[in-house]
Amino acid sequence: MKQGLRTFFLRHETILLLILVAEWCYFNSVGRHFGSLDNSFDIVRHSVEIGLLAVVMTPIILTGGIDLSVGSLLGLCAIVFGKLWRDAGWSVGSAAMGTVVLGALAGGLNATLITWLRLPPLIVTLGTYSLFRGVAEAVTQGVDTFTNFPASFLFIGQERWLGIPAQAPFFLLVAGVVWLLVHRTTWGRSWRAIGFSPEGARYAGIPVGRRLATVYVMAGIVAALAAIIYTARLGQAKADAGSGYELFAITAVVLGGTSIFGGTGSVHGTLLGVAAIAVLNNGLVHARQPREVGGMLTGLLLILTMAASVLPKMLAKARPTGHATGRNTQSQTNA
Amino acid sequence: MPPLLQLTAVTKSFGAVRALRGISFDLQAGEVHALLGENGAGKSTLIKVVTGAHQPDSGHLEIAGQRLTALNPTSAREAGIACIYQQPALFPDLTVAENIALRLGKTTPLCRVRWSEHRKRADELLRRIGADIDPGAEVRALSMPEQQLVEIACALGASARIVIMDEPTASLTQSEQQLLFGVVRNLRAAGVGVIYISHRLEEIFALADRVTVLRDGESVGTRPIGELNEAELIRLMIGREMAHIYPDRGGTPGEIVLAVKGLNCAAGGVRDVTLDLRAGEVLGLAGLVGAGRTELARVLFGITPADSGEIRLNGKPLRIGSPAEAVAQGIAYVPEDRRRHGVILEMPIADNMTMAVHARIFPGTWLRSGVERRLALDYIRDLGIKAYGPEAPGGSLSGGNQQKVALARWLATRPRVLILDEPTQGVDVGAKSEIHKLIRQLAQQGLAVLMISSDLPEVLGMSDRIAVMRGGTITAMLPGGANAHEVMAAALGQEEGNQGAA
């Protein structure tokens, strides 16, 4: 029992949850309106798009890969969505469908280059990172923006539905599906196996190429969804939408305890990571701190959390009775 | 005159494995001394002691009469010891001259690179061994033998007195071999001592002055080559008793399960392999390292798919393009490299055991931890796996137990063909005998087993039939009762006519 309690406190997710609670308590005491329901909803609204990207980035990083192109793809999808609706005269619904198809195709491009040509994901998505953004800028020639969307569409990004921000259900749905895939199906099991040892997975008869392709196509589809929600929230679509989001998403995933080398990690860890960053940045506004502080503290948060997660294990290992360490690694693997 | 190199009672152990058990060996100036032995006899370890890569546990070395307890790579080089490996260790993107200059590694003031001097020196060294190679060529563009000649030039440049050649002809054509032999004879004439390792007996008879045979980490004897013939050499190499008890064979093989005809795979180095495998039999696949045995298994398992040829399973022709397809057809492969391919060390053994049967035990892709746990517990019990539970990570188990986990993964697929690649390599004696019993049981249950092994007694003790591979193809098919001489002779490529003498 005592052992179990110690394991619980050593878990990365627990540390992150404690940090989140500490953040909340601190900002609640400093900022006057921080703890209000309105502000909580504000935090949710502002973190849904990055949250979507982070959630879908988790299986990619679990396989030992990375996708740097999701932010650029968000921009491209936002532009194409606007173009289909305004210039091609599609209904909002059809334009949204078209955008999701584009997202899937773009993810498919990444997947093809990675699995078929066997290029490293870092290089492939660094390429499509520039490519997608470049196409978005070419389409708008850098100046065109799309506005005046119907109120029924803006509802998704700005209003409440059943008392909660209207984009929240989309996020919960995606997070739920990805959580189930990662933690409760053979898909997630295969992704982890590939992350630990791609060759080992292949020798076990796992169709490595197909399993890998899935995570990148999924990322494309979710990036398109994020683009639509982004457009609805801001009421406009422009070519620089979502720039830098890929790094926020990766930060959240890593902060959430997923190993950048693949294999270990969890979707709920990622959710906590997104929350910790979102609460920090929102709280700083309420504490009347300049925006730059947010970036600084996000960086510090990442480094300190990782240190807090690693140090006890190192200390435990230094002692001859390293039992807790083994168990802890275990629980993370199974998480 | 003292010998160039003298090793006295050198021992070396790795953990519980005694690789060298008191070996004495000497090399004279101006001789070619061949070193022979089966895989694992201790040749590589001995070479590594001489090149300073390993330090001996006891015993000592003398170089030209100077006594040393150990060498390190730098002091070995300074003492004039050079080693030419089967795979030349040159930088492919640098030129021949640059590679030679790097190896000789003279420092100049301000570390300035003197290109013309490098070139001149390389040219001179290459001319000395009669090699027609442009010093300005990139090593990438050179053939394997040319690269070996560059290595030899490096050795000469370092004024090596002792040159070790580890299977230098393994990848050479006939005419390239002749060129190399010429170089070796020139070295000998110049007073260099050459330690020559090869599995090809005809080369040893053509080149060597003396031969030392190693077996199980001990020197069986050193003889002038004139006192030996091929049969005697082979007898020296394998003349060990079989201490290990193998399970009874029993049972008659059934139908042909796997029929392979004219199988080729250029990328895998497999050519024109024809083979039948019957239900209920253990077919041993013997041969030297590099003979193409693992490569054949990789083709059959779809890792490097075949270019041409026919594979039939229960009479039905099929194409195996990936391991996933092989698994679906009922072919299982327990790979040689357990830690890289056989088991995912970071994952629990339960996850490892179910990895190849996701579709069967997790219908609809949903994980069912109860089913998984039961399956794992069953195999842990049946195979006697020592682990603290199904959740133990694969890496926490000993080698033998990891091998059983790898085996369990494939038994769970209920295969029709089971390919085992070095099933007992690096496994302790107890686990080895358990694995042997298990293999026999599986065969008796009607499984067709193809067992690759470099452990000759294992091949002889376990196999119902023995296929011997050499140069990527099957050169002999021997009955289960074959003796070690026949297998070794076939593996070494000795003419069939000579077998009568053995």
Side-chain angles (χ1 to χ4, degrees):
Chain A
M1 195 60 220
K2 203 180 160 196
Q3 189 72 57
L5 208 64
R6 207 167 120 199
T7 312
F8 177 76
F9 277 108
L10 276 172
R11 280 181 66 160
H12 188 90
E13 285 91 338
T14 316
I15 294 169
L16 205 49
L17 191 63
L18 293 177
I19 288 173
L20 189 56
V21 170
E23 279 181 1
W24 190 275
C25 293
Y26 173 72
F27 289 125
N28 203 20
S29 67
V30 178
R32 200 154 353 126
H33 301 290
F34 176 81
S36 68
L37 194 62
D38 274 344
N39 187 55
S40 302
F41 285 169
D42 219 37
I43 295 176
V44 170
R45 280 204 189 93
H46 280 95
S47 47
V48 158
E49 293 112 40
I50 288 175
L52 282 170
L53 297 183
V55 161
V56 88
M57 186 75 79
T58 307
I60 291 180
I61 295 183
L62 273 182
T63 65
I66 194 101
D67 190 343
L68 297 177
S69 72
V70 286
S72 299
L73 183 56
L74 193 156
L76 176 60
C77 285
I79 291 306
V80 169
F81 174 70
K83 201 89 182 157
L84 289 176
W85 171 73
R86 191 191 69 188
D87 297 349
W90 293 25
S91 71
V92 168
S94 315
M97 289 305 290
T99 306
V100 170
V101 170
L102 172 75
L105 290 175
L109 175 66
N110 282 334
T112 309
L113 293 171
I114 290 165
T115 62
W116 193 52
L117 294 183
R118 305 199 177 190
L119 297 172
L122 184 73
I123 291 170
V124 168
T125 60
L126 190 61
T128 50
Y129 160 84
S130 290
L131 176 71
F132 295 155
R133 185 71 68 193
V135 172
E137 280 164 358
V139 168
T140 59
Q141 274 141 17
V143 291
D144 201 2
T145 57
F146 303 89
T147 49
N148 296 322
F149 289 99
S152 59
F153 171 66
L154 298 179
F155 177 88
I156 298 169
Q158 299 168 0
E159 302 295 322
R160 289 191 199 176
W161 183 69
L162 297 178
I164 55 168
Q167 60 264 65
F170 290 99
F171 177 67
L172 292 176
L173 181 71
V174 170
V177 168
V178 175
W179 190 89
L180 284 173
L181 281 174
V182 167
H183 297 286
R184 288 288 178 268
T185 70
T186 56
W187 290 90
R189 184 63 71 73
S190 308
W191 293 332
R192 281 182 203 284
I194 294 167
F196 282 127
S197 168
E199 276 295 284
R202 201 157 83 96
Y203 273 80
I206 290 174
V208 173
R210 256 182 291 162
R211 291 289 182 273
L212 277 182
T214 316
V215 290
Y216 292 95
V217 172
M218 225 161 67
I221 292 170
V222 172
L225 179 65
I228 294 162
I229 292 173
Y230 177 96
T231 309
R233 175 165 67 88
L234 294 181
Q236 66 168 350
K238 46 190 177 32
D240 68 350
S243 59
Y245 277 25
E246 63 284 333
L247 291 185
F248 289 122
I250 293 166
T251 307
V253 173
V254 175
L255 183 61
T258 298
S259 162
I260 199 75
F261 303 110
T264 330
S266 69
V267 174
H268 40 274
T270 298
L271 294 180
L272 286 171
V274 172
I277 294 174
V279 168
L280 177 68
N281 284 288
N282 177 280
L284 288 172
V285 176
H286 284 262
R288 298 181 185 286
Q289 294 295 325
R291 279 178 61 94
E292 303 85 69
V293 180
M296 269 166 53
L297 288 184
T298 305
L300 277 178
L301 176 68
L302 178 66
I303 292 164
L304 291 178
T305 311
M306 296 323 276
S309 174
V310 168
L311 275 178
K313 285 180 211 165
M314 281 172 68
L315 293 176
K317 214 173 233 168
R319 270 180 260 125
T321 51
H323 201 66
T325 325
R327 295 301 291 251
N328 189 49
T329 322
Q330 201 46 47
S331 57
Q332 278 195 16
T333 315
N334 282 337
Chain B
M1 204 170 98
L4 261 185
L5 175 73
Q6 170 84 53
L7 273 72
T8 311
V10 169
T11 65
K12 177 76 190 170
S13 297
F14 300 98
V17 181
R18 292 171 66 197
L20 298 179
R21 314 175 180 211
I23 284 198
S24 297
F25 176 85
D26 71 285
L27 179 70
Q28 304 290 339
E31 83 163 339
V32 176
H33 193 149
L35 201 52
L36 260 176
E38 281 184 80
N39 303 324
K43 290 173 309 209
S44 313
T45 313
L46 183 63
I47 292 314
K48 284 181 178 154
V49 166
V50 175
T51 57
H54 287 332
Q55 276 68 50
D57 298 333
S58 66
H60 66 266
L61 297 90
E62 275 171 49
I63 292 173
Q66 211 180 350
R67 188 174 162 139
L68 300 160
T69 47
L71 286 163
N72 62 45
T74 316
S75 66
R77 202 170 54 221
E78 280 163 4
I81 298 170
C83 187
I84 288 130
Y85 294 99
Q86 197 176 334
Q87 297 292 325
L90 300 169
F91 296 99
D93 296 309
L94 300 182
T95 65
V96 171
E98 282 166 336
N99 266 289
I100 293 177
L102 258 179
R103 195 68 68 86
L104 304 183
K106 281 220 192 79
T107 46
T108 54
L110 298 174
C111 297
R112 207 165 69 88
V113 180
R114 293 184 180 148
W115 297 105
S116 57
E117 209 167 289
H118 287 171
R119 229 188 125 89
K120 216 173 79 198
R121 194 171 165 73
D123 206 31
E124 192 185 290
L125 288 171
L126 290 167
R127 196 142 352 114
R128 253 170 71 193
I129 56 168
D132 181 27
I133 297 171
D134 173 16
E138 271 185 27
V139 165
R140 182 183 295 288
L142 301 185
S143 68
M144 200 58 94
E146 285 175 327
Q147 293 189 27
Q148 275 173 342
L149 291 176
V150 174
E151 288 269 2
I152 295 171
C154 289
L156 272 179
S159 49
R161 291 177 293 169
I162 299 167
V163 174
I164 302 162
M165 301 180 120
D166 190 358
E167 295 213 49
T169 55
S171 52
L172 304 193
T173 65
Q174 199 70 37
S175 59
E176 289 163 351
Q177 281 177 29
Q178 291 310 321
L179 177 64
L180 187 82
F181 290 174
V183 172
V184 172
R185 290 190 183 107
N186 285 343
L187 289 176
R188 172 168 59 191
V192 172
V194 179
I195 301 176
Y196 193 91
I197 299 171
S198 177
H199 282 304
R200 301 187 178 175
L201 299 186
E202 67 269 19
E203 282 177 16
I204 286 166
F205 282 101
L207 272 180
D209 300 303
R210 286 192 300 161
V211 52
T212 292
V213 178
L214 299 187
R215 193 201 304 150
D216 292 334
E218 282 173 301
S219 170
V220 190
T222 300
R223 309 269 180 83
I225 198 72
E227 291 181 9
L228 290 165
N229 63 31
E230 289 196 6
E232 281 166 334
L233 255 185
I234 293 176
R235 189 158 35 233
L236 277 175
M237 282 167 72
I238 53 181
R240 116 186 82 185
E241 294 165 48
M242 286 212 229
H244 188 77
I245 309 291
Y246 290 91
D248 286 338
R249 294 203 178 94
T252 42
E255 296 286 293
I256 291 176
V257 179
L258 182 75
V260 174
K261 214 162 135 192
L263 200 67
N264 282 294
C265 174
V270 168
R271 54 189 182 82
D272 196 25
V273 168
T274 298
L275 185 73
D276 284 341
L277 185 61
R278 291 174 180 277
E281 80 168 340
V282 176
L283 176 60
L285 195 52
L288 300 169
V289 168
R293 296 167 304 162
T294 294
E295 289 73 10
L296 173 61
R298 287 162 56 94
V299 171
L300 292 176
F301 194 59
I303 293 162
T304 45
D307 305 326
S308 63
E310 192 182 68
I311 301 173
R312 280 173 182 270
L313 198 65
N314 290 334
K316 203 176 73 200
L318 46 101
R319 208 192 118 61
I320 303 167
S322 72
E325 285 172 44
V327 175
Q329 296 294 340
I331 298 175
Y333 173 52
V334 181
E336 178 183 13
D337 191 339
R338 194 160 48 227
R339 301 179 68 82
R340 270 180 62 210
H341 302 142
V343 176
I344 294 182
L345 300 173
E346 297 89 342
M347 292 184 100
I349 55 178
D351 297 30
N352 267 296
M353 287 178 185
T354 56
M355 198 157 286
V357 286
H358 280 174
R360 176 164 69 80
I361 72 164
F362 303 132
T365 80
W366 297 104
L367 296 178
R368 298 195 296 172
S369 52
V371 176
E372 179 164 65
R373 200 182 156 77
R374 263 197 307 278
L375 179 138
L377 285 170
D378 283 352
Y379 279 115
I380 288 173
R381 190 194 57 224
D382 292 353
L383 307 188
I385 296 172
K386 290 181 193 75
Y388 65 75
E391 67 280 2
S396 69
L397 274 58
S398 71
N401 284 301
Q402 281 179 14
Q403 185 68 338
K404 289 180 185 173
V405 171
L407 205 54
R409 172 194 289 173
W410 292 108
L411 295 183
T413 66
R414 298 170 187 162
R416 287 181 281 186
V417 176
L418 178 63
I419 306 170
L420 301 166
D421 198 346
E422 304 288 359
T424 60
Q425 196 179 63
V427 163
D428 64 86
V429 183
K432 189 169 173 174
S433 128
E434 282 174 36
I435 290 172
H436 286 154
K437 258 184 232 144
L438 190 66
I439 294 172
R440 183 48 64 189
Q441 270 172 25
L442 293 169
Q444 276 162 354
Q445 286 161 20
L447 206 61
V449 180
L450 182 64
M451 187 188 74
I452 299 170
S453 177
S454 294
D455 185 345
L456 198 50
E458 178 174 85
V459 170
L460 299 173
M462 288 298 300
S463 310
D464 295 306
R465 286 186 301 153
I466 301 166
V468 185
M469 281 191 83
R470 181 168 186 260
T473 194
I474 291 175
T475 49
M477 185 64 82
L478 305 167
N483 64 35
H485 291 93
E486 290 170 300
V487 175
M488 262 332 248
L492 292 164
Q494 203 189 16
E495 292 305 312
E496 301 216 355
N498 293 353
Q499 274 179 28

